[in-house]
Amino acid sequence: MACGFRRSIASQLSRVLDLPPENLIKSISAVPISRKEEVADFQLSVDSLLENRNDHSRPDIQIQAMRLAEKLKCDTVVSEISTGQGTVNFKINRELLTKTVLQQVIEDGSKYGLKSELFSGLPQRRIVVEFSSPNVAKKFHVGHLRSTIIGNFIANLKEALGHQVTRINYLGDWGMQFGLLGAGFQLFGYEEKLQSSPLQHLFEVYVQVNKEAADDKNVAKSAHEFFQRLELGDVQALALWQKFRDLSIEEYVRIYKRLGVHFDEYSGESFYREKSQEVLKLLDSKGLLQKTLKGTAVVDLSGNGDPSALCTVMRSDGTSLYVTRDLAAAIDRMEKYNFDTMIYVTDKGQKKHFQQVFQMLQIMGYDWADRCQHVPFGIVQGMKTRRGDVTFLEDVLNEIRLRMLQNMASIKTTRELESPQETAEQVGLAALIIQDFRGSLLSDYQFSWDRVFQSRGDTGVFLQYTHARLHSLEETFGCGYLNDFNTACLQEPQSVSILQHLLRFDEVLYRSSQDLQPRHIVSYLLTLSHLAAVAHRTLHVRSSPPEVAGARLHLFRAVRSVLANGMKLLGITPVPLGTLHELGH
């Protein structure tokens, strides 16, 4: 793998520079492939070496690079040394490159790129990721969908790196909406509808009771009374609430399964109604709680009475608020999981809320508050299904499946598939996820079904198509070629470009692990698919001599393996069916 070559280059540099090889590893990077010219395999940024020095003279970088290059020698690993713009470039012995990379991909399997030197010495951590977190009886809007796929990606990546990850879905299952829902269900609820489609029915009841409460003060009053009964622990009110919650979770589990997402814990605001009272007592005992004239309680986060830094933590009737329950949840999770990092994945509109939560934990004396991290994302506009605005996640999944089936039917390959519905959903989900992950997570974007499903260009459909096509090559020619192959048969520019690109996979994973942005992996996989498409057109297997065919199949298998690894990290299930033949390009 790349790290073996990096280490070899680093050990030669360490002798010349008199620095430990460990300090040099991260300054040596695999060179991105270029369409215009054949590039070196690795480069050392001289600038990054000089950053570590304290002298302010910083001699001319180009001269430094040339002086350094003169002191280095080619060996069995490095066949050529040159200089670029402030860099020293290294070309690896071609046959060694071919053999090492392909063997490593096959041997490491799903761990390829993760065993890299870049991750060595990475301590195993306990990580909690809270994501998705819809509100029972309210719309599962596009923000929840983004939170679900982004949180799933972060959890997948952390798990792949060997950390112990706990995935938590923190449901909005408490608060005034349940007062409305309890009162509303007694007026408009039907038991059989609740049993057959709980999310749909509770949403209908919620919409109807909201309308009534706006016109009729008695309905509003009975909603308020129902929520107070819940807060006081009334057995009947709690039994109805529990039924709403249990049936909703049952349906969520089923829908998340279609998305390929699972949770270790379904928590919720309801868990912390009593513990949030303890938080209020603690704030009070530390002299941080201030009562307002309206009877609410606030905490001054500025410490000097700045009105913009006041955070309300209790209603005038003594009931808890969202922020109080979040504090209680954080304290409880620290006790339960003793986490090293806790990541909240929500839209950027909640940035201030989490700043307040983390700040409050700090002033309450919890020094672990700095282990909490908010990963914000931008807003998606314009996602509609044929039924109108998105109300439920299931609407989105059904729309994906329907549109994809229509695409597949128009190209006459669907009848060959064993389960066209499932395949359509997996390919469609890939399209949706790639569309979402291509840019920075913080960016807002205008959603377009046409763009998601366009058959040409950098889409999830193209990734699935490439994977299916490579899988079909393996199916057609069998796996007998995998024992040994002749590296001399893979020296064409198309093969070398693929090998150079495979070298970079660990760096791409490292980048995503640093900033938790999936776009680095997406861009890498799309380039890999384009390289594979070119190679597939030019490096024929069927009409080649056995030795050449075997070597090429080895190369294509390595591409498929890395493609599948990357897709799985993103939360995409690779479709193995070669019958998707002309679905992408």
Side-chain angles (χ1 to χ4, degrees), residues 404-414:
M404 203 64 227
L405 277 170
Q406 285 174 341
N407 281 17
M408 285 156 65
S410 69
I411 45 178
K412 314 258 185 309
T413 59
T414 319

Side-chain angles (χ1 to χ4, degrees), residues 211-246:
K211 278 186 197 153
E212 295 288 327
D215 301 332
D216 185 340
K217 287 211 169 91
N218 287 330
V219 174
K221 186 171 173 243
S222 63
H224 194 79
E225 283 167 0
F226 190 89
F227 183 55
Q228 276 199 308
R229 280 169 60 200
L230 275 179
E231 286 261 304
L232 294 167
D234 176 85
V235 176
Q236 269 180 311
L238 277 175
L240 187 60
W241 166 84
Q242 188 71 49
K243 185 167 25 174
F244 292 163
R245 188 180 192 278
D246 291 348

Side-chain angles (χ1 to χ4, degrees), residues 404 427-435 438 449-466 522 525-526 529-530 563 567 572 583-585:
M404 203 64 227
V427 177
L429 270 173
L432 186 79
I433 289 170
I434 294 299
Q435 152 98 341
R438 281 189 64 189
W449 285 110
D450 291 341
R451 204 165 55 240
V452 167
F453 287 117
Q454 66 188 19
S455 63
R456 296 192 174 273
D458 290 350
T459 64
V461 177
F462 176 44
L463 288 187
Q464 287 284 30
Y465 159 78
T466 306
V522 169
L525 296 179
L526 288 165
S529 295
H530 283 294
L563 191 56
M567 286 162 79
I572 295 169
L583 189 56
H585 270 226

Side-chain angles (χ1 to χ4, degrees), residues 232-282:
L232 294 167
D234 176 85
V235 176
Q236 269 180 311
L238 277 175
L240 187 60
W241 166 84
Q242 188 71 49
K243 185 167 25 174
F244 292 163
R245 188 180 192 278
D246 291 348
L247 289 169
S248 296
I249 287 180
E250 232 170 82
E251 196 166 355
Y252 278 134
V253 170
R254 182 179 62 76
I255 297 165
Y256 284 127
K257 197 174 177 185
R258 280 178 70 180
L259 251 186
V261 172
H262 73 276
F263 292 92
D264 300 302
E265 181 183 301
Y266 279 85
S267 167
E269 295 181 63
S270 60
F271 284 49
Y272 301 107
R273 59 184 192 274
E274 283 159 23
K275 288 187 174 165
S276 57
Q277 294 302 320
E278 291 166 29
V279 167
L280 293 171
K281 282 181 196 152
L282 186 59

